């Protein structure tokens, strides 16, 4: 124990330090020197991990590389070896579910851990100064992410698939010799990248084993954001949970989890976005637990989104649109999203339910997990059922004094005339239709779209309407783009 070499700079609660800092403050900084006398030895740097730590992140730097000093890294918790990254990583992270490759995920026991510095080379006369910065995450109220930085810092529209399954649940595909096998998660990410998607959420049923694979893949897929997801799958419905890696007890109907709202409250406390999946799917022996039949009904205030479009089910009795619109008519503000529900990553792109079919397109201030989740919450979102890479549906509503985007609320008097500017790209020959409180509206008949880029103007007196949204349909009548509502209050 070379505790004399450890300078503990601070172990503090950073109550007042600015929220503007991009990186979390360090909870602990270990500094010291490695001298020539320590060549070819292992130096243990002990440090204390507090109880309740959910994630441990360490970054390490040292001087003397120009003099060929080389320092390796490894880690032991109070009981066991947790990994060795040698000289190949300067930062790493571990949590219950996932760890940087080289390290083992698992619970993080409180007590004395040791960061091991191996010294493969330091010249006799050289002194190398090292700094280890250690951060403990103790509360999971913020969205979890597999990357510390945004993959794209620009504001804009980002396209993704929010519902897919892999080997970690019931995703399957053909092996090298043609056998049906659990389908490796990598193939899902690869298919999404090939389709030009910006983000995906892999939503295996109830489990949390997928996150370690995603931790490994995220640096490789540096244009494809991997959003932590899972499909909470109960006997009375399925719902996606985004942005959380901790276990959520899904066993609704048991003593600890009396009903659906109980697990939803837990997920919400962890900062999750919750979306009800395929709510109008059949239930019973056709598809066990698939339709949303929660009784007592779940608290819809805990829900952010409804999967209006699932896989190839865009319209008809099993599509989720009517369920979603009933919730909107009941006064809830819920974002309509889509998800492929893909269970076979190599499925050809032109088949329903292939990766990216449908695509959910989200306006976000950057490409990061918190920003995409905030974008879903804000409701400036549309679903592209055509899996294009460029189609756009954006809406701005105006009255004399204000304007509002999809997901926003326009405060209007019932006599106000409201104008809707509907910006559409990539849909020449299609038509745009207005939906008011769940129905087509005589005052705003459908309009043809003449150009590849068009802004159509619709207007009507606010009257008693509570929300207005727009769809785009092809010349064959098929739904191409599904828009989210602008809400009206009177
Ligand atoms: Zn499902
Ligand atoms: Zn599913």
């Amino acid at each position: 124990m070379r505790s004399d070499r450890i300078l503990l700079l601070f172990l503090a609660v950073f109550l007042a330090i600015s929220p503007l800092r991009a990186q979390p403050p360090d909870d602990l900084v270990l500094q010291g020197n490695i001298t020539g006398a320590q060549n070819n030895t292992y130096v243990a740097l002990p440090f204390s991990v507090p109880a309740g730590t959910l994630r441990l992140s360490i970054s390490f730097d040292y001087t003397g590389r120009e003099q060929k000093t080389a320092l390796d890294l490894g880690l032991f918790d109070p009981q066991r070896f947790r990994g060795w990254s040698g000289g190949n990583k300067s930062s790493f992270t571990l949590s219950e579910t996932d760890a940087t490759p080289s390290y083992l995920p698992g619970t993080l026991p409180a007590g004395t851990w040791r960061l091991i510095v191996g010294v493969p080379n330091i010249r006799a006369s050289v002194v190398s100064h090292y700094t280890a910065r250690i951060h403990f995450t103790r509360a999971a109220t913020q969205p979890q992410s597999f990357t510390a930085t945004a993959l794209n810092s620009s504001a804009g529209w980002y396209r993704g698939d929010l519902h897919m399954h892999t080997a970690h649940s019931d995703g399957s595909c053909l092996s090298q010799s043609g056998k049906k096998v659990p389908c490796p998660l990598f193939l899902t990410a690869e298919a999404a990248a090939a389709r030009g998607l910006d983000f995906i959420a892999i939503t295996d049923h109830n489990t949390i084993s997928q996150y370690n694979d995603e931790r490994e893949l995220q640096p490789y897929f540096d244009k494809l954001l991997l959003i932590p997801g899972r499909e909470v799958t109960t006997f009375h419905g399925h719902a996606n949970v985004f942005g959380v890696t901790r276990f959520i007890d899904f066993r609704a109907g048991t003593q600890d989890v009396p009903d659906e709202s109980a697990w939803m409250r837990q997920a919400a406390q962890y900062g999750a976005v919750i979306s009800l999946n395929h709510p109008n799917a059949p239930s019973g022996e056709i598809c066990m637990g698939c339709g949303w039949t929660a009784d007592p009904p779940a608290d819809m205030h805990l829900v952010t989104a409804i999967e209006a479009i699932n896989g190839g089910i865009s319209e008809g009795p099993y599509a989720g649109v009517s369920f979603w619109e009933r919730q909107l008519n009941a006064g809830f503000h819920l974002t309509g999203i889509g998800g492929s529900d893909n269970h076979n990553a190599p499925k050809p792109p032109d088949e329903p339910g292939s990766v990216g079919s449908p695509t959910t397109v989200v306006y976000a201030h950057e490409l990061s997990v918190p920003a995409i989740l905030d974008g879903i919450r804000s409701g400036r979102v549309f679903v592209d059922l055509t899996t294009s890479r460029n189609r756009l549906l954006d809406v701005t509503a105006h009255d004399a004094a204000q304007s509002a985007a999809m997901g926003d609320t326009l405060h209007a008097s019932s006599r106000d005339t409201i104008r809707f500017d509907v910006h559409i790209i990539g849909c020449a020959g299609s038509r745009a239709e207005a939906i008011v409180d769940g129905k087509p509206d005589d005052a705003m008949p459908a309009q043809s779209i003449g150009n590849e880029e068009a802004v159509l103007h619709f207007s009507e007196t606010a009257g008693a309407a509570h929300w207005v949204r727009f769809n785009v349909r092809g010349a064959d009548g098929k739904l191409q783009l599904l828009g989210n509502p602008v809400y009206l209050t009177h």
Side-chain angles (χ1 to χ4, degrees):
M1 297 289 166
R2 295 171 180 270
S3 56
D4 57 320
R5 295 182 181 278
I6 299 167
L7 178 61
L8 181 61
L9 285 186
F10 47 81
L11 171 55
V13 179
F14 285 81
L15 289 176
I17 293 188
S18 79
L20 298 174
R21 289 177 63 155
Q23 298 297 324
D26 310 309
D27 292 301
L28 204 58
V29 179
L30 311 178
Q31 290 188 327
N33 293 327
I34 302 288
T35 68
Q38 292 170 299
N39 193 29
N40 291 358
T41 65
Y42 296 98
V43 179
L45 307 180
F47 62 97
S48 186
V49 171
T53 299
L54 300 172
R55 178 173 294 287
L56 170 64
S57 303
I58 299 178
S59 64
F60 187 81
D61 200 6
Y62 61 95
T63 63
R65 286 185 178 82
E66 64 286 351
Q67 294 154 307
K68 302 289 184 195
T69 301
L71 301 183
D72 289 346
L73 288 180
L75 188 67
F76 285 79
D77 75 15
Q79 287 112 33
R80 65 169 181 145
F81 175 63
R82 294 302 289 260
W84 182 259
S85 56
N88 62 63
K89 293 181 184 73
S90 60
S91 64
F92 56 88
T93 183
L94 299 85
S95 76
E96 184 173 17
T97 54
D98 58 88
T100 305
S102 306
Y103 292 90
L104 296 169
T107 49
L108 307 179
T112 302
W113 289 52
R114 284 163 296 150
L115 181 66
I116 306 297
V117 179
V119 190
N121 191 58
I122 186 166
R123 293 175 186 165
S125 60
V126 168
V127 175
S128 172
H129 185 71
Y130 66 80
T131 305
R133 298 180 182 280
I134 303 176
H135 178 67
F136 306 115
T137 303
R138 283 179 217 126
T141 55
Q142 300 297 317
Q144 300 295 296
S145 177
F146 305 114
T147 170
T149 54
L151 300 193
N152 185 332
S153 58
S154 303
W157 292 96
Y158 291 104
R159 314 177 88 84
D161 189 340
L162 290 165
H163 189 164
M164 48 228 314
H165 298 273
T166 72
H168 291 274
S169 59
D170 51 351
S172 62
C173 54
L174 298 182
S175 69
Q176 287 181 308
S177 61
K179 289 199 275 289
K180 193 172 164 187
V181 295
C183 200
L185 185 147
F186 177 83
L187 293 180
T188 298
E190 201 171 49
R195 286 156 184 63
L197 298 184
D198 301 305
F199 63 86
I200 56 171
I202 287 167
T203 53
D204 282 307
H205 295 286
N206 289 335
T207 192
I208 53 177
S209 63
Q210 63 274 32
Y211 302 133
N212 200 45
D213 282 8
E214 295 185 82
R215 171 69 60 186
E216 179 182 1
L217 294 192
Q218 183 67 87
Y220 175 75
F221 288 100
D222 57 358
K223 295 178 177 176
L224 176 70
L225 182 71
L226 306 179
I227 298 175
R230 92 196 62 168
E231 185 170 18
V232 171
T233 304
T234 78
F235 302 133
H236 304 288
H238 299 182
N240 276 346
V241 170
F242 303 118
V244 171
T245 54
R246 295 186 74 179
F247 171 66
I248 294 165
D249 196 340
F250 52 86
R251 293 170 293 179
T254 58
Q255 195 172 2
D256 291 345
V257 190
D259 54 27
E260 308 292 331
S261 298
W263 71 256
M264 287 185 181
R265 268 192 296 278
Q266 180 75 84
Q269 278 170 13
Y270 294 159
V273 160
I274 298 170
S275 167
L276 303 190
N277 293 347
H278 46 70
N280 278 344
S283 286
E285 291 188 351
I286 307 173
C287 190
M288 292 162 214
C290 293
W292 189 259
T293 59
D295 185 21
D299 179 356
M300 293 298 289
H301 294 97
L302 297 167
V303 175
T304 300
I306 303 288
E307 189 183 66
I309 308 290
N310 172 277
I313 316 171
S314 55
E315 301 203 73
Y318 294 152
V321 176
S322 63
F323 180 96
W324 173 45
E325 292 186 334
R326 277 201 305 280
Q327 310 308 315
L328 300 178
N329 285 342
F332 294 103
H333 290 198
L334 294 163
T335 304
I337 62 173
S340 69
D341 211 352
N342 178 271
H343 284 72
N344 172 10
K347 192 180 228 188
D350 54 346
E351 289 186 17
S354 61
V355 169
S357 175
T359 303
T360 301
V361 191
V362 177
Y363 189 86
H365 72 267
E366 63 180 20
L367 183 57
S368 67
V369 173
I372 295 295
L373 298 188
D374 281 349
I376 293 172
R377 287 189 183 97
S378 83
R380 194 172 171 197
V381 170
F382 67 95
V383 181
D384 184 345
L385 289 82
T386 70
T387 70
S388 81
R389 296 188 183 196
N390 71 320
R391 287 194 162 114
L392 174 77
L393 170 60
D394 196 16
V395 178
T396 312
H398 310 265
D399 67 5
Q402 338 142 56
S403 69
M406 289 189 288
D408 290 346
T409 300
L410 196 70
H411 302 279
S413 113
S414 59
R415 294 181 306 280
D416 286 352
T417 297
I418 300 180
R419 194 180 83 181
F420 299 91
D421 298 335
V422 183
H423 185 193
I424 296 166
I425 293 177
C427 298
S430 299
R431 61 194 165 84
E433 65 183 19
I435 307 287
V436 180
D437 291 352
K439 299 192 189 77
D441 188 60
D442 291 342
M444 294 196 287
Q447 295 185 31
S448 298
I449 303 163
N451 299 311
E452 276 303 288
E453 178 156 11
V455 179
L456 306 181
H457 303 292
F458 292 77
S459 65
E460 73 164 358
T461 306
H466 293 100
W467 56 268
V468 178
R469 65 174 198 85
F470 292 84
N471 291 326
V472 173
R473 290 182 185 277
D476 57 2
K478 278 193 182 157
L479 187 60
Q480 293 180 318
L481 307 178
L482 172 128
N484 265 280
V486 175
Y487 301 96
L488 306 177
T489 61
H490 305 292

